Amino acid sequence: MLITFKSKAAADVVMYESHAKPILDLLHKDAGRGVITSAEAGDAIALLEKHITASKAHEAADALERDVNAHHNANTDDHNHEKIEPVSFSARAYPLLDMLREAKKGNYDVLWGV
């Protein structure tokens, strides 16, 4: 199922529900229908930015661990291609974060499920 975030401040942002749900859970919002008011936007932006910063730190550590395991394992050096990386939380959250920033500037709400 798709969730379409709407605001007068920016173009619609469309996400799969499974990708939007972790973001909305972080913001304590229901995935079915909801609103982030212009008054709530500042707190939502700060929370998302904090979580993105923390997730990027973990991504770097995970990438280093994968590299070490791929090239310094019991079978000596492994030159096989690594698996395709999944899309990170920060990449998924960025379009909504950008919409929230614009909504805050223009004093608009962000809606979905309506």
Side-chain angles (χ1 to χ4, degrees):
M1 175 158 279
L2 295 175
I3 294 178
T4 302
F5 296 94
K6 298 178 176 285
S7 177
K8 291 182 180 181
D12 291 356
V13 173
V14 180
M15 291 185 198
Y16 284 111
E17 183 178 354
S18 60
H19 298 157
K21 188 159 177 22
I23 298 168
L24 293 171
D25 287 347
L26 181 67
L27 300 175
H28 305 289
K29 298 290 184 177
D30 183 69
R33 178 185 298 185
V35 61
I36 299 172
T37 65
S38 60
E40 296 174 316
D43 290 338
I45 291 166
L47 193 57
L48 280 173
E49 287 174 342
K50 181 180 175 184
H51 194 75
I52 286 169
T53 300
S55 71
K56 282 184 177 182
H58 291 291
E59 291 168 12
D62 292 344
L64 178 62
E65 183 179 345
R66 276 193 308 277
D67 187 50
V68 168
N69 288 337
H71 298 292
H72 303 285
N73 55 43
N75 299 328
T76 66
D77 200 18
D78 180 6
H79 295 288
N80 295 327
H81 292 285
E82 293 186 29
K83 294 185 226 177
I84 295 174
E85 296 295 319
V87 178
S88 67
F89 176 85
S90 60
R92 293 206 193 279
Y94 184 80
L96 181 58
L97 179 59
D98 192 45
M99 177 184 267
L100 285 167
R101 287 178 179 145
E102 292 302 314
K104 182 181 176 198
K105 283 182 202 173
N107 205 29
Y108 294 111
D109 297 339
V110 175
L111 308 163
W112 63 95
V114 292

